[in-house]
Structures are given as C-alpha cells and as structure tokens.
Amino acid sequence: MKKIFRATLIISLFTACSTPKKAVLTQKDLPRVIDSLYQADQATAKIRPVDSAAAAFQRVIRSNFSSVEEIFRKFGFPGYDLVGAQYSDKYFTLVQHSDFNVSFQLEVLKDMQQKVEAKNATGQNFAYLTDRTELNQGRPQIYGTQVLMSANTKLKPCIDSINLDKRRLSVGLGPIQEYIDQCNAVFFQLNPQEKNKPGGN
C-alpha cells in the first residue's frame, strides 16, 4: 500500500512540475512585457563583432515572436490609450523587426491604420511599417523610410519620387533630403573611421 501511495505521489509531483500553468497576460502586464522584449531586441546591437550581433539579433527576434504575437492576438496593436506612447512605439519596433513573418506584419498594419486614424498611434510608425511590408513583398516602398545606409545613403526602391515629400508630410515625416542627411550622420557616428576616406564628410 505504501509503495502504491509513493508511486502515485511521485507521478502527481512530476505532472505538476512538468506542466506549469502559463501566466495570463493582462493589460497591467503589457508595459513590463513589451519593455522586456524591446530591451532584449536592442541589446544585440552592442555585441561585437557585427556578424555575431546579426546572428544574435535573428535568434532574439524569433524567440520574442510568440510573445509579440500573443500581445496582438489579445489586445490588437497597443495604442496610446492602452500602454502610452513610449510602449506603443516599442511594440511597433518589435513588429518592424518581425520580417520573417510578413503576414503577421500586414495584420498589425491593418489594425495600426485604424489606431492612427483615431489618433491612437503615430503616422510615422505606420509609414515605416508600410514601407517595410512593401519591400518584404518585393514591391517599392511608399514613404521612403527604408535606406541603404552608408557614407552616401541611398533610398531603397520607392514609388513616385517627385511626390515623395508630399506623402511624407501627410504622415508627419520631414523632407526626404533631411532624412538622408540624418542617416549619413548616424553612419559616421557608428563608423568614425570612414570620415577620412575619399568621399567621407
């Protein structure tokens, strides 16, 4: 009888330990969870050498994804009213980096558009995600947010460059030349050794 009781107890303990109950994600948890995912995402940029950072980034964005998706399935795109501007922007970054799942990005984009129209999210972030998804589907971007950064930064393929500044203005973005100049400045901050090379500023 004692042996049977002991075996039953062991099985019960094993079952309890091997199948922990997943915590229910609540609105109160969102800022903390989003910030934790964001910090893990951004931390990879500090890794050296650069190729190691790129590999770590790919690992992190994939390990983050189930939580990023869970937030969207439960709450939609977290707008200002739900988490405030800071954490809404951080969540956008997590979606922006989910390039391996374009269908998910497009789902978020559709919901995000409604939030932007209700002034519950930023048009700038909407423009960045729009351009990302267009390029991810093999089409030219619309707002000129995606670039090939270098000492002489170039735009990735973009529609109707003549009216580009008008489209950018409609979502709260500045003129394209200002943006290119900013990208060049960031490039030299990250690569100061390039300043003294021919063509450097």
Side-chain angles (χ1 to χ4, degrees):
M1 186 71 177
K2 286 183 179 180
K3 288 183 178 179
I4 295 174
F5 174 77
R6 187 179 300 169
T8 304
L9 179 60
I10 291 171
I11 292 169
S12 298
L13 288 172
F14 178 78
T15 304
C17 293
S18 62
T19 56
K21 198 169 184 179
K22 188 175 181 182
V24 176
L25 182 63
T26 67
Q27 181 179 337
K28 184 180 178 181
D29 297 326
L30 278 181
R32 175 183 57 78
V33 172
I34 290 171
D35 189 61
S36 177
L37 295 168
Y38 177 83
Q39 295 304 329
D41 178 292
Q42 296 295 296
T44 59
K46 300 175 183 177
I47 296 173
R48 292 295 180 269
V50 174
D51 55 348
S52 296
F57 175 72
Q58 291 301 320
R59 288 194 298 272
V60 167
I61 60 176
R62 282 166 171 76
S63 65
N64 273 350
F65 183 72
S66 62
S67 296
V68 174
E69 185 177 30
E70 181 187 3
I71 290 169
F72 180 70
R73 299 294 173 217
K74 188 161 187 178
F75 300 99
F77 179 83
Y80 297 160
D81 61 342
L82 194 66
V83 295
Q86 179 185 6
Y87 296 107
S88 181
D89 288 349
K90 286 182 176 181
Y91 184 79
F92 150 77
T93 299
L94 297 170
V95 176
Q96 181 90 331
H97 289 169
S98 301
D99 293 311
F100 53 87
N101 196 325
V102 181
S103 61
F104 173 72
Q105 288 180 319
L106 290 169
E107 282 187 79
V108 176
L109 186 67
K110 185 176 180 180
D111 187 57
M112 193 178 180
Q113 183 173 14
Q114 297 175 0
K115 299 291 192 335
V116 171
E117 290 170 354
K119 303 199 182 304
N120 198 18
T122 170
Q124 293 98 317
N125 286 348
F126 174 76
Y128 274 86
L129 188 56
T130 297
D131 283 353
R132 194 78 159 228
T133 56
E134 289 299 293
L135 290 171
N136 283 341
Q137 294 174 94
R139 298 195 292 258
Q141 61 181 321
I142 297 170
Y143 299 103
T145 64
Q146 305 298 298
V147 300
L148 295 167
M149 190 179 288
S150 68
N152 186 23
T153 298
K154 302 290 185 186
L155 279 182
K156 292 183 179 181
C158 186
I159 67 167
D160 184 21
S161 59
I162 293 175
N163 294 300
L164 178 54
D165 277 346
K166 290 180 182 178
R167 293 194 300 278
R168 289 176 64 84
L169 180 62
S170 73
V171 292
L173 294 171
I176 190 61
Q177 189 55 54
E178 286 184 8
Y179 181 55
I180 294 293
D181 291 343
Q182 290 168 1
C183 290
N184 287 340
V186 170
F187 175 80
F188 284 119
Q189 286 176 5
L190 297 174
N191 304 277
Q193 73 280 2
E194 297 293 323
K195 274 203 169 188
N196 297 325
K197 291 186 178 180
N201 291 343

